[in-house]
Amino acid sequence: MVRHKSKILCEFGDFQTPVTLALEATNVVNRLGVSPRSVLEPTCGRGAFLLAACQVFSQVNKFVGVDISTEHLSYLKERVAAEKYSAPIEIINGDFFNLNWSDIINTLAEPLLIIGNPPWVTSSELGLLKSSNLPQKSNFQGKSGYDALTGKSNFDISEWMLLKHLEWLKERTGIIAMLCKTSVARKILTHVWQYKQKVIRAQIYRIDTLKNFNASVDACFFVLLIGDGSLSNTCEIFEDLSAQKPSHVIGYQDNILVSNVIDYKRWSHLRETNSVYIWRSGLKHDCSNVMELEQEGDKFRNGYGNVFSLEQDWVYPLLKSSDVGNSRTSTCRKYVLVTQRYIGEDTTHLKLDAPKVWDYLQNYREYLSKRSSSIYRNRPEFSIFGVGKYTFAPWKVAISGFYKALNFVQVDPIDGQPVVFDDTVYFLSCRSKSEASFLAALLNSQPAKEFLESMIFWSDKRPITIELLKRLNLRALAQVLGKEEEYNGYALSNYYQKSSILPLSQHSRYETSPINSPQSPNSL
């Protein structure tokens, strides 16, 4: 989204809906043939949707608009007084997160239309503003462990609000019709289908946010029909508000949201159950000016422009998402300081094993200690994440999580050292060049791409995730491609060898055979 111009705009996600857009969207609801008896706009602002509903739905016997801004509500009251609508319109000044909504909902006859444009702002953005305009803290998404600690528990305020709307209609009939980010709509659909809530029809209509809000974000008009009847497990996607027929249908299959139901069903036998190969994410350090370096002769320059001599065994070639996405893997622009061999390792041994690195870290201790993420709390000093024996595998197959393409690349060592990635890259570790080449070919095959793409929503900020990648059964894929015997050779070797750790001092001694003895000292 474009930069917000004020703290108030940031804090309340306050993008007032153009009157023409509100009217066009409300007419979409009218075309569905449901006649609401009550209309509620829970974050009404200047009331664009409330007033549009007054024009479109003549049979409604009560309209209610609620907002936290007295300025917006003063404007709305003036509009209501000027138009002299026949149906009663109740305007309430209140904070969405502190109102007793049951008292309001209980006064509204059904079918109840809940319509509007909730705030387009996330919980983390509000946290940075030290805003109180937040729901009470709760783990409503059910995130746990590393996901919660690293930010996956961050959520859009509109997501929380839409879940509340579903609660309000749990024992009632009605329609939820909201402008929101398309990613939020998909999260709500997943929740609805996962918990078998009584949604009998779902629709997403794309909207032009640049035209209507001067914002660059993928957003939609999201409609849920709630009532008695057969539960829906699909959602119709329309290219715009005027479209009469859907362009395609997304759905819920095998407990996941899929973007192409037909392709998913065609390749569903490629679903993973368990695997010898484990997808990993790259290194997370949250201090690029200290940890990421540029080589100058036999020394390294950090992000502050200072040059240091460091032990080579602790500095590795670094490839970022843009490098992997563009297949620039034969050379590196930067290097990264790797302070641990595994998560939680005590770093004080560096004082003896790598005194130059230790002194360097001491120079920048203050910067590293100020890393804001809670994952570093109660951890050894100078800790990193996304590190393990897989980090030091000599060959890898990698993909960028950000780039809008399924492009798996083979990554060989650079100057005799294994390559390390940033945490926006996902990879499989390999013990030989031939193994990496084989796996890359499997992953770039048409069946693999069709299966994975059937579950990808390319408009997402990070469309490719570990959760997605691990759904693909490489053994089943090899069977489809007539490569099962070759796969079994590599997989058997990998299975027996993956418990051994390659010492840092042995990184240049690579085994190139696809199958090695379980007793090999170089095994991973």
Side-chain angles (χ1 to χ4, degrees), residues 287-293 301-308 360 363-364 366-368:
C287 197
S288 60
N289 283 336
V290 175
M291 304 297 282
E292 295 182 11
L293 311 162
R301 181 185 296 274
N302 67 16
Y304 297 109
N306 300 317
V307 179
F308 294 85
Y360 174 77
N363 286 336
Y364 293 98
E366 181 182 355
Y367 296 88
L368 290 162

Side-chain angles (χ1 to χ4, degrees), residues 17 21-22 24-30 32 34 36 39-43 49-50 53 57 112-118 161-162 165-166 168-169 174-180 185 188 201-205 220-226 241:
T17 310
L21 175 61
E24 190 178 1
T26 305
N27 275 314
V28 165
V29 178
N30 192 36
L32 295 175
V34 179
V39 175
L40 168 64
E41 187 175 4
T43 53
F49 275 103
L50 196 69
F57 299 112
L112 167 59
L113 169 61
I114 304 173
I115 193 168
N117 180 8
M161 290 178 169
L162 280 160
H165 303 340
L166 284 167
W168 299 344
L169 295 180
I175 308 168
I176 296 172
M178 293 285 166
L179 291 180
C180 64
I188 297 301
R201 192 174 183 184
Q203 296 180 326
I204 286 176
Y205 293 81
C220 67
F221 186 54
F222 181 41
V223 182
L224 295 174
L225 273 66
I226 297 170
L241 291 168

Side-chain angles (χ1 to χ4, degrees), residues 12-17 40-50 64-69 72-73 76 92 94-97 99 101 114-120 133 157-158 161-162 165 168 178-179:
F12 295 99
D14 193 354
F15 288 84
Q16 292 300 303
T17 310
L40 168 64
E41 187 175 4
T43 53
C44 66
R46 296 189 169 200
F49 275 103
L50 196 69
V64 177
V66 181
D67 202 81
I68 195 171
S69 168
H72 287 335
L73 292 184
L76 175 57
I92 301 171
D95 181 351
F96 185 100
F97 306 113
L99 278 176
W101 282 103
I114 304 173
I115 193 168
N117 180 8
W120 296 13
N133 186 41
I157 296 302
S158 58
M161 290 178 169
L162 280 160
H165 303 340
W168 299 344
M178 293 285 166
L179 291 180

Side-chain angles (χ1 to χ4, degrees), residues 277 434-435 438-439 442 474-494 514-515:
Y277 292 100
S434 61
E435 181 182 22
F438 174 73
L439 291 178
L442 283 186
L474 291 176
R475 183 184 297 277
L477 177 61
Q479 288 176 337
V480 167
L481 297 172
K483 302 286 186 180
E484 185 177 10
E485 185 176 349
E486 192 174 355
Y487 171 87
N488 287 339
Y490 288 117
L492 181 64
S493 175
N494 189 291
I515 303 178

Side-chain angles (χ1 to χ4, degrees), residues 367-387:
Y367 296 88
L368 290 162
S369 66
K370 288 182 178 178
R371 292 179 291 181
S372 59
S373 177
S374 59
I375 62 174
Y376 301 106
R377 295 175 194 164
N378 304 316
R379 296 284 181 173
E381 200 171 24
F382 317 127
S383 282
I384 55 179
F385 278 81
V387 63

